[in-house]
Amino acid sequence: MSTPGRGLHGHVLETLGPAIAAGEYPPGSVLRTDELAQRFEVSRSVMREAVRVLESMHLVESRRRVGVTVRPKAEWNVYDPQVIRWRLAGADRPQQLRSLTVLRSAIEPAAAGLAAKHATADQCAELTECALGMVANSRGHQLEGYLVHDVAFHRAILNASGNEMFARLGDVVAEVLTGRTHHEIMFEDPDPAAVTLHVQVAEAVRAGDAVRAEHLTREITVGALQELDILAP
């Protein structure tokens, strides 16, 4: 999954990428690199590098004697963390969050069940540590601190599943959780029931109880969807 650089082309991407994701340049729009280079006051080589990154995300395609064309949304690499971030910054944020949360509800319970079967002692300890960190940051409006442990917990579940395809979704889940927090689609303090469920998932994984781990994780994702219905209808 691609991540834009921090140089001049990164600066271009941080403006142009969200604009494409938000629909300011509809599919089929043709972008002229010379015009864009003048607009952003960068060299053509910098602009070409930015376009290459956008091409790697399947947001645009370059054609000789045509220019850079915005591709249909159905062709975008919607699993790219940066594309997710840009989409969450736009007007379709509620729909994007809901789509990603539904994906989580399909994947994470199965991953938790597998983690209960395959997690090592170190992975179980990591899960417990993350869950306790969530508890410690669940009061007093400490959402940023809570987010760190929440992301780490869900990454640990995906990694402990032993399935490399699930593990690769860690960045996707991280963007969902980060987007919810940074765009204030969270209560000031996390739902105590959800915090408790994370602790119970860690316990189920440590106990090797796959059925319970899967059931509890499904409750977490259902609760996340219910929160979206309230905070981002």
Side-chain angles (χ1 to χ4, degrees), residues 8-138:
L8 287 174
H9 79 278
H11 168 70
V12 173
L13 286 168
E14 288 305 319
T15 300
L16 189 56
I20 293 173
E24 294 179 25
Y25 298 98
S29 299
V30 177
L31 311 177
R32 305 292 182 184
T33 53
D34 289 351
E35 295 174 2
L36 290 172
Q38 291 180 358
R39 172 187 167 188
F40 289 104
E41 298 181 344
V42 296
S43 67
R44 294 181 181 178
S45 62
V46 168
M47 197 63 235
R48 284 194 295 270
E49 179 61 28
V51 168
R52 277 195 289 269
V53 175
L54 293 174
E55 283 183 301
S56 73
M57 300 173 176
H58 297 182
L59 295 183
V60 302
E61 61 180 342
S62 297
R63 295 177 180 174
R64 294 188 63 182
R65 293 190 290 275
V66 174
V68 179
T69 306
V70 177
R71 300 176 69 163
K73 186 180 293 186
E75 297 177 4
W76 295 356
N77 181 4
V78 293
Y79 288 101
D80 189 296
Q82 189 65 61
V83 174
I84 293 172
R85 197 173 309 154
W86 289 338
R87 295 181 72 188
L88 288 178
D92 67 343
R93 181 183 308 136
Q95 179 58 39
Q96 170 73 344
L97 277 172
R98 187 162 280 98
S99 176
L100 290 164
T101 305
V102 169
L103 174 68
R104 287 183 59 201
S105 71
I107 297 300
E108 289 195 70
L114 288 171
K117 297 177 181 179
H118 302 299
T120 64
D122 286 344
Q123 288 172 326
C124 289
E126 180 185 7
L127 274 175
T128 299
E129 182 180 352
C130 293
L132 293 177
M134 293 171 71
V135 172
N137 289 270
S138 63

Side-chain angles (χ1 to χ4, degrees), residues 104 127-143 145-147 149-150 153-154 177 180 186-204 212 216-217 219-221 223-224 227:
R104 287 183 59 201
L127 274 175
T128 299
E129 182 180 352
C130 293
L132 293 177
M134 293 171 71
V135 172
N137 289 270
S138 63
R139 287 290 174 267
H141 304 175
Q142 303 182 76
L143 287 181
Y146 182 87
L147 174 64
H149 297 286
D150 195 14
F153 180 93
H154 290 279
L177 298 173
R180 287 179 57 196
M186 287 277 288
F187 296 114
E188 291 184 341
D189 285 329
D191 179 9
V195 178
T196 299
L197 284 170
H198 284 78
V199 174
Q200 292 174 335
V201 169
E203 292 172 347
R212 180 166 169 76
L216 291 168
T217 305
E219 285 194 45
I220 291 173
T221 58
E227 283 190 10

Side-chain angles (χ1 to χ4, degrees), residues 158-171:
L158 294 167
N159 289 331
S161 72
N163 183 299
E164 76 280 7
M165 304 300 289
F166 285 176
R168 286 298 300 274
L169 291 174
D171 289 343

